[in-house]
Every structure is written in C-alpha cells, then in structure tokens.
Amino acid sequence: MTQRERILSIAVGGLIAFVLLQWGFTKYRTAVRTRNSRIESLNVQKLQIEEQLLAGAYAEHQMSEYLERSLPGSPERAQSDYQSWLLQLVQENQLNDPRVNPTSPVPVGGLYNRLPYRVDGRIALPNLVELLHAFYAKDYLHRISKLSITPARNQPGKLDLEMSIDVIALTSAPVDLRQPGNDSWRVDSAVAAYSAPILNRNFFEPPNKAPEFTGNAKIEVIVGKDSTTPLTFKDPDGHTLSYEFVEASPDFAKLDERTGTLTVRSEEKNEYKVLVRVFDNGYPRRTTEQLLSITVVDPPPPPVEVAKKEFDDSSQTVLTALVQGRDGWTAWLNVRTRGKTLKLRAGDQFEIGHLKGNVIDVTPKYVVLEVEGRRFELKPPEILAEAAKQSLDN
C-alpha cells in the first residue's frame, strides 16, 4: 500500500468514526429528551390525581354533612316528620290561624326529593323574628324560597305572613334518620343578636351600631412625664363620639370628652385600671365601655442594634387542606419556600422555620397545634407563623 493510499484510508476511517460518533450523540440526546418529557408528564398526572383525591375527600365530607342534615330517605316519612316539626314551630312562636300546606314531593335526578310547603298566618313582629331565628337555627337542608309580610287589617301590631319553604330529603338517607339535635353553627344561638337590631331600629336610616374599640387596651406611660394617648374608637355609622370615665376621674389621668385623648402623669411606677365609656349621637344612642390597663414604667433604654434575623419558613407556610382518610384527618401544610407539603396527623411533631411543636388534634374545620406550651387553632387558608404569633401574644 502506497503512502497516498494509507492517508486516504485513514481519512475515510476518521470520517466513518465521526459519523458514528455524531449518530450516537444524537440518539443519546433524543433519549434524554424523551425521558425528561416522560418525567414531566408523570408529574402532571401525579398532581391531577392528588387534586382528584382532595376533591373526593372534600365531596365525601360534604356528603356526610348533608346526610346528617337530611330528612329520612322515605318521602312519606320525610314529609310527616317535617310537617310535625313545622307545626310545632309556628305554634311555639304564636302564629295565629296557622296553615301549613305540603305539596307532592319532587324527585330530582334520583339524588334527592324536594318537599315544598306553604305556610301562612298572622303574627306580631317580635314573634316573627323568633320564628325566623328558630327556622334557620334548625340544621335541616331547608330554605325559605319566598317570604311576604304585610300589615294586618284592623289589627295594629300584627302582620300577615306568607312564606314558601323547600326542604330536601336525600334518597340515600336512612328511613329512620333522626332530626338534627344541635342548632346550626351558621346562626347565632342568641335570638337577641337579631331581634335587637330589628326591633330597636330607626326606620329613617339603617340600624345604629355601637362604637368599636380598635386600639390596644394596654397603655404604657413614662414615669414623671405627661403622656398622651388618643383612644382609637371607630363608629361604623360615622357618628360623632363623646368620651367619659365611668367612675370619678382619677387624679393622675384626664380624658378629653370631645377628642378622646387620654393624658396621664404619674410620679411613681405603678399599674392602674380605668374604665372608659364612649357613646355616639345616633338614634337610638349606642354606648361602649372599655377597660384600660395603664402601666407607669421607666424611660426606655437607648436603642440597641439588633442583628438581622434569618428568614422564617413558617411565615410562608399555609394550611391548604384538611383531608379525611382511613386513619383519620390529616392536615396538609404547604411550605412555599421549600416547595413541599407536610401531611401531619394528631401526635406528629413538626419543625418549620423558627417554630417547633406538636400536632394535638386534626378536625374537619381546623388543626390544633402546640408551640412553646401554648395551643392554638389553624384554619384553612391561614398562615402558620401569624396564627402562632397571635397565640403567643395573647
């Protein structure tokens, strides 16, 4: 083989090796891309499955609540039970000449039966408020779909009442299901919370609301120095406020009755309690009393430069869901800064950022946590650090 043939053979061999190397690299890169695409697709499927599981757990919890509030599954039994309760309701709240007329149940999608009722009679306004409160306090799956109230003729103080009611009986509910025993958590148990704003209202403007204290009930003042503190009361209706001490004015304190500025000067360190009353000029007049704790302290020391704290992961940790499984309820805490979700049950320990504690209990509405010997509740979608701080500050 001549020198020229040898060089040509080497060149051809090198070209073939380069082509083979290029082909192998392209095949490897294609395999890597395919693998990464597959991993991404599986992650998307995983998220979808987790969302479906969460939605299913929520739907299961919601359905169990509906079953507890439902009438019995038998339409005849449901209609009889509800009509008996409805008759007792109108009698207890003094509805005169009451008429409670049911109509035929209406099946809906094979899931439940809707039972319509029509109620009418004559009633006084205070009794009407109590009747409506008792109706909504009963934790049935029912509602008032139509309500008509008109002044009764020839009977001052009486009202003609007409209302249409719809109530639901799930077909999957047991036939011997008992009526709900507890009042609905959606309604305040005290009827006075509703009757007072309705019966004691000014018919020429919205009901007057009492002033609200929005400041800090603990006040610190410097010994031997005049200290002024504006008392922060807010009137929801924008009325003008006036201020006064409930008891005789203390020697060490003065209160401006027009601006609400509290001026305190004490020559000795001590702690005092003063009771302040605030009232508006609305109709009817509303008042609010607030007990203030005044502590006389030494002047504060010179400020000390504080080292910058590390970022706290608990300030970005959110309770995203409360999920019921076979072993009970689980709290899902999403640590946003770490991109991970902690699934905690009662008895588990946790350490997130600056917070370290135990899970005391997990319920359908909140999780009870313990940090530094203090227990507090965390509800979706509250932030862990804020709930813990509020508990530790109280």
Side-chain angles (χ1 to χ4, degrees):
M1 178 180 293
T2 64
Q3 183 69 20
R4 183 177 179 181
E5 292 174 341
R6 186 178 296 107
I7 293 173
L8 181 61
S9 298
I10 293 173
V12 171
L15 180 61
I16 293 173
F18 176 76
V19 170
L20 291 175
L21 182 63
Q22 182 69 23
W23 175 81
F25 177 74
T26 301
K27 188 173 182 180
Y28 169 76
R29 186 171 58 180
T30 302
V32 171
R33 288 178 178 176
T34 302
R35 179 177 178 273
N36 291 338
S37 177
R38 179 60 177 167
I39 292 174
E40 183 177 355
S41 176
L42 291 174
N43 286 332
V44 171
Q45 293 179 15
K46 177 185 175 184
L47 290 176
Q48 292 175 347
I49 292 174
E50 289 179 349
E51 290 178 355
Q52 291 176 358
L53 290 174
L54 183 60
Y58 177 77
E60 182 180 357
H61 169 68
Q62 196 71 27
M63 182 56 68
S64 64
E65 179 186 349
Y66 288 159
L67 281 173
E68 292 178 358
R69 300 172 57 197
S70 172
L71 288 170
S74 168
E76 295 78 11
R77 173 69 181 275
Q79 190 173 66
S80 174
D81 288 358
Y82 191 77
Q83 185 169 358
S84 298
W85 175 79
L86 205 54
L87 285 170
Q88 181 181 357
L89 176 70
V90 298
Q91 291 172 0
E92 290 177 350
N93 291 279
Q94 302 179 25
L95 181 67
N96 299 329
D97 302 324
R99 290 180 293 275
V100 178
N101 300 319
T103 57
S104 300
V106 180
V108 179
L111 297 177
Y112 62 88
N113 290 292
R114 179 172 63 86
L115 283 67
Y117 287 83
R118 180 179 175 85
V119 178
D120 57 79
R122 187 161 291 179
I123 192 170
L125 181 57
N127 298 122
L128 175 59
V129 174
E130 294 178 0
L131 185 147
L132 294 177
H133 175 267
F135 178 89
Y136 284 109
K138 192 65 173 179
D139 208 16
Y140 275 131
L141 293 173
H142 60 178
R143 64 168 186 170
I144 297 176
S145 58
K146 183 179 179 181
L147 178 65
S148 174
I149 306 171
T150 55
R153 292 184 179 180
N154 304 323
Q155 290 193 25
K158 293 288 186 177
L159 301 170
D160 287 330
L161 171 67
E162 296 181 3
M163 61 182 180
S164 299
I165 298 173
D166 291 328
V167 60
I168 288 177
L170 298 175
T171 55
S172 58
V175 177
D176 57 350
L177 183 65
R178 296 182 179 179
Q179 61 176 272
N182 299 326
D183 290 344
S184 173
W185 57 268
R186 302 165 183 83
V187 178
D188 195 312
S189 59
V191 68
Y194 304 94
S195 60
I198 295 174
L199 303 178
N200 300 327
R201 65 171 300 179
N202 180 359
F203 288 97
F204 298 98
E205 61 183 23
N208 186 24
K209 298 179 181 178
E212 300 173 355
F213 181 66
T214 58
N216 190 348
K218 297 180 179 180
I219 301 174
E220 284 192 356
V221 299
I222 305 302
V223 62
K225 180 180 179 182
D226 287 335
S227 300
T228 58
T229 304
L231 301 183
T232 52
F233 283 85
K234 179 181 178 182
D235 188 79
D237 305 301
H239 293 135
T240 301
L241 301 179
S242 299
Y243 306 80
E244 65 181 11
F245 288 117
V246 174
E247 300 174 349
S249 175
D251 296 336
F252 61 88
K254 295 181 180 179
L255 179 62
D256 191 309
E257 64 178 13
R258 187 174 56 87
T259 64
T261 300
L262 178 66
T263 304
V264 178
R265 181 184 180 91
S266 177
E267 302 301 332
E268 60 180 13
K269 293 188 294 181
N270 206 337
E271 183 174 345
Y272 306 95
K273 303 285 185 181
V274 295
L275 187 60
V276 175
R277 179 187 293 122
V278 180
F279 50 91
D280 62 17
N281 64 344
Y283 176 80
R285 171 184 283 188
R286 301 295 185 186
T287 63
T288 299
E289 293 185 358
Q290 178 64 44
L291 182 65
L292 302 176
S293 175
I294 302 175
T295 305
V296 184
V297 298
D298 290 323
V304 179
E305 185 175 352
V306 180
K308 188 176 180 181
K309 295 183 179 180
E310 298 180 357
F311 183 81
D312 187 5
D313 287 338
S314 64
S315 66
Q316 295 296 319
T317 299
V318 179
L319 178 61
T320 57
L322 297 167
V323 180
Q324 185 180 29
R326 294 182 177 179
D327 299 328
W329 288 88
T330 303
W332 288 21
L333 291 173
N334 182 13
V335 187
R336 293 173 175 173
T337 52
R338 304 295 181 182
K340 64 179 182 179
T341 298
L342 302 179
K343 301 178 181 180
L344 304 176
R345 297 177 180 173
D348 290 348
Q349 296 182 345
F350 66 91
E351 184 173 0
I352 303 175
H354 299 161
L355 296 181
K356 182 177 180 181
N358 304 310
V359 180
I360 303 302
D361 191 17
V362 182
T363 72
K365 297 180 181 178
Y366 55 83
V367 56
V368 180
L369 304 177
E370 184 179 71
V371 174
E372 298 181 9
R374 300 292 297 272
R375 296 186 179 183
F376 61 94
E377 297 177 359
L378 185 65
K379 303 177 182 178
E382 292 181 346
I383 298 176
L384 175 60
E386 295 179 0
K389 182 178 183 302
Q390 183 177 2
S391 171
L392 295 175
D393 289 345
N394 292 336

